[in-house]
Amino acid sequence: MDKTSDTNDSAALVFAGGMGLGAYQAGAFEKLQNSDAHPFRVNWLLGSSVGAVNAALIAGNPPEQRIARLREFWSQPDMLGMPPLALALPVGGRYIRNWVSALQARLIGARGHFRPRAPGFPFEDFKSLYDLAPMRRTIDRLVDFGRLNSSEVRLTVAATDIESGETALFDTQREELTIDHLLASCGMLPEFAPVMIGGRLYGDGGLSANAPVEPALTEKGTRLVFVVDLFARAGGRPRSLAASLARKNELMFGNQTLRLLGFWRDTLGRRSDKRVVYLSYTATPDEADAEKLFDLSAAMVEQRWLTGAQDMELGLTRLRAEPAPPLIIIRDR
């Protein structure tokens, strides 16, 4: 497909950041790819943080291998060669088990994703709490960067300039993307280190644009935009310190995206034929509050994957309704 294609049957898929919650996006994509009920094709992927990694796994593989590559990425062993400690607990509900799983990842890392970084001395040499070298190897194995940088599917990766605070959008229409661009987009301080690219230091896209939706809203030729967020803005009253920290993340990141989409709907959206479908992952009460981002256990990965597929099915059903509104919101409750 020509990079300048302006067909009106094209769709963009925007993936937000959210670490271990990103399995939700994989499930949503699987449902979208396997659905026969849509007359469009996804030819533009935009992502931030783990959303950028998911997008690269899709753009960097042929259609028939994309789900398998996503499965392989999200099916890494839970921990670094050790059985999940939570499985050995004789008592305790899923909430306790999920907390133990998340804390174990905090302590010893998660295979294929990250590992603890040895503290440096002097402390001025501090880089981050964790090293993304395992993810670098995983991406190098699962993503074909020749295909990713071809004209087959456009990829836009969001990062944040650590010094200026500006959002940087690295785009295969303008430049060749590498693993460094993906890891820069994952550089959420202090957990993960920023990356130097072209003399500038770039960190996590979520620091400025957790769901980099603006280009997809403003560029012509994209009739449909699917936004797959990982934080639901609406939620209940927190009843503990841990729940308060989780709610803070949901409000910060969920608000960031929905306020922008609401402004677009009330201004440009009603006068255009563009449609936006917004999905957001709503965590279940048994998840590990703010630490759920570090819960990469097989059970939680599968739960999030299935939820993403279910929510995408709801979105496609709403999209087929006539007339479809400019902005369709699934699970903002």
Side-chain angles (χ1 to χ4, degrees):
M1 177 171 43
D2 189 335
K3 289 187 180 184
T4 60
S5 174
D6 193 36
T7 57
N8 60 8
D9 65 344
S10 59
L13 189 55
V14 183
F15 286 154
M19 288 188 59
L21 307 182
Y24 174 80
Q25 296 168 342
F29 176 77
E30 181 179 40
K31 176 61 66 175
L32 183 62
Q33 177 169 282
N34 293 339
S35 173
D36 297 324
H38 56 75
F40 54 86
R41 66 183 182 277
V42 175
N43 64 356
W44 189 6
L45 293 155
L46 306 93
S48 179
S49 195
V50 75
V53 176
N54 278 332
L57 288 164
I58 296 168
N61 283 286
E64 66 274 11
Q65 293 181 11
R66 289 168 180 169
I67 303 304
R69 291 292 182 266
L70 286 166
R71 276 286 180 193
E72 191 169 352
F73 178 80
W74 288 105
S75 299
Q76 302 288 326
D78 290 341
M79 303 299 161
L80 294 177
M82 300 177 62
L85 183 60
L87 295 180
L89 292 176
V91 294
R94 291 188 61 186
Y95 178 73
I96 299 298
R97 290 172 182 267
N98 290 337
W99 257 101
V100 172
S101 177
L103 293 177
Q104 187 171 345
R106 278 281 197 182
L107 290 172
I108 65 174
R111 185 188 294 269
H113 291 261
F114 60 88
R115 65 189 180 198
R117 189 189 295 276
F121 186 83
F123 293 118
E124 288 79 3
D125 293 335
F126 173 82
K127 292 183 178 180
S128 62
L129 296 174
Y130 302 100
D131 185 358
L132 285 174
M135 183 172 288
R136 178 181 290 274
R137 291 192 294 270
T138 300
I139 292 172
D140 185 55
R141 179 169 55 86
L142 298 179
V143 175
D144 178 350
F145 278 85
R147 177 180 288 272
L148 181 147
N149 285 295
S150 71
S151 59
E152 183 176 355
V153 179
R154 179 181 177 184
L155 175 62
T156 303
V157 171
T160 303
D161 188 310
I162 294 299
E163 294 175 273
S164 71
E166 293 290 330
T167 302
L169 296 174
F170 301 107
D171 195 308
T172 53
Q173 282 198 340
R174 299 188 297 267
E175 59 206 307
E176 184 172 301
L177 301 193
T178 68
I179 295 179
D180 282 346
H181 293 93
L182 301 178
L183 295 186
S185 187
C186 295
M188 178 62 80
L189 293 169
E191 279 82 5
F192 305 109
V195 177
M196 191 75 71
I197 299 175
R200 303 294 299 179
L201 190 63
Y202 293 102
D204 198 287
L207 296 171
S208 58
N210 197 49
V213 68
E214 291 177 81
L217 294 178
T218 56
E219 287 198 23
K220 296 180 180 179
T222 302
R223 188 179 59 158
L224 283 171
V225 180
F226 293 91
V227 183
V228 189
D229 207 345
L230 299 179
F231 297 93
R233 179 178 67 175
R237 298 179 181 179
R239 301 185 181 278
S240 66
L241 176 60
S244 294
L245 291 171
R247 191 73 193 112
K248 179 191 74 172
N249 288 338
E250 292 163 354
L251 289 170
M252 283 195 308
F253 294 119
N255 261 332
Q256 188 185 101
T257 305
L258 271 176
R259 289 185 64 190
L260 177 59
L261 290 175
F263 177 79
W264 170 84
R265 176 196 59 202
D266 296 337
T267 54
L268 301 177
R270 299 193 185 280
R271 301 193 300 271
S272 74
D273 62 354
K274 193 186 295 287
R275 295 292 178 265
V276 177
V277 179
Y278 174 85
L279 315 178
S280 61
Y281 178 65
T282 302
T284 57
D286 58 13
E287 293 203 45
D289 299 311
E291 290 300 308
K292 62 181 177 285
L293 279 70
F294 280 82
D295 185 357
L296 292 163
S297 62
M300 288 311 306
V301 164
E302 187 63 20
Q303 176 178 303
R304 292 161 184 164
W305 189 296
L306 292 175
T307 303
Q310 292 166 0
D311 286 0
M312 179 57 78
E313 180 62 35
L314 289 173
L316 292 172
T317 300
R318 292 275 303 278
L319 187 62
R320 291 192 291 268
E322 293 292 343
L327 176 60
I328 297 169
I329 300 176
I330 304 297
R331 284 189 184 272
D332 179 45
R333 55 177 172 80

